[in-house]
Amino acid sequence: MTPDMFSCGTRLALSVLLVSLAAYDLRNKRIPNAVMRPAVIAGWLVLVARLALSQVSWEQVGLATLTSAICLALWWIRAFGGGDTKLLIALVALFPDARFVYAMMIAVLLGSLLALIVWDGRAGLRRLAALFVTASRGAWPDRAEVAAAYQKRGRPITFAFSLGAVLYIWLVWPGWI
């Protein structure tokens, strides 16, 4: 087996796993901890092993750590669900690259806008416009308002994370495994 074939197989396996997680999350509105806890642990163990082998730099470890802290803060204010947070933490540990973080940010923005339009139509666009007007006046929602909106919404964003990760895996990732 050539390295290119192995890299393609790894990409395919990760892609299938991510699409499966997204489908499961869309159907059940949750990702099981039995899957995500080991994924977070494995991601960070791989990152530490890659650091020991000098395959990643301390800056990349710092990026993964900072991104994970931001994810936890977003979970704390209930902007992300627990499974979504764990998925993103596991992925950023596997791909500690600023391009990956940018891909996730773009995927979440576009995925959220698409979900808003598909699920809520014009009402969703009006709420988005109202949020921009409110934010431009410096009045941001507090934690309770964000949590209430998240619970009412009940729509997972795992599909956006998965789509962004799959695109990154096939278009950007150099294939370090």
Side-chain angles (χ1 to χ4, degrees):
M1 179 181 279
T2 67
D4 289 339
M5 288 172 54
F6 185 68
S7 179
C8 186
T10 303
R11 289 170 200 240
L12 185 60
L14 285 171
S15 297
V16 168
L17 176 66
L18 288 166
V19 169
S20 298
L21 278 173
Y24 184 88
D25 192 36
L26 284 173
R27 186 175 37 254
N28 299 304
K29 294 190 174 34
R30 60 174 297 141
I31 301 175
N33 280 330
V35 173
M36 293 318 307
R37 283 184 183 145
V40 169
I41 292 167
W44 278 92
L45 288 175
V46 167
L47 182 62
V48 169
R50 290 180 64 208
L51 180 64
L53 296 171
S54 299
Q55 293 179 349
V56 295
S57 66
W58 280 103
E59 288 82 13
Q60 289 172 298
V61 173
L63 175 70
T65 304
L66 178 62
T67 304
S68 296
I70 291 169
C71 288
L72 289 171
L74 289 170
W75 167 78
W76 186 76
I77 65 167
R78 300 296 186 242
F80 285 174
D84 300 324
T85 300
K86 289 177 213 138
L87 175 61
L88 193 52
I89 289 172
L91 289 171
V92 81
L94 286 175
F95 308 111
D97 181 5
R99 296 172 298 183
F100 179 75
V101 175
Y102 295 142
M104 290 296 98
M105 291 168 36
I106 291 168
V108 168
L109 176 65
L110 294 178
S112 297
L113 289 174
L114 179 64
L116 191 65
I117 292 167
V118 168
W119 283 315
D120 295 334
R122 288 186 183 175
L125 292 175
R126 283 193 299 274
R127 281 198 308 277
L128 182 63
L131 176 65
F132 283 127
V133 169
T134 303
S136 69
R137 295 181 182 153
W140 289 92
D142 63 14
R143 182 174 185 246
E145 291 171 322
V146 172
Y150 181 82
Q151 293 301 324
K152 181 180 176 188
R153 180 187 72 203
R155 297 186 183 107
I157 59 172
T158 299
F159 72 94
F161 290 154
S162 296
L163 176 63
V166 167
L167 290 174
Y168 175 85
I169 288 168
W170 287 99
L171 301 177
V172 180
W173 185 42
W176 47 264
I177 292 182

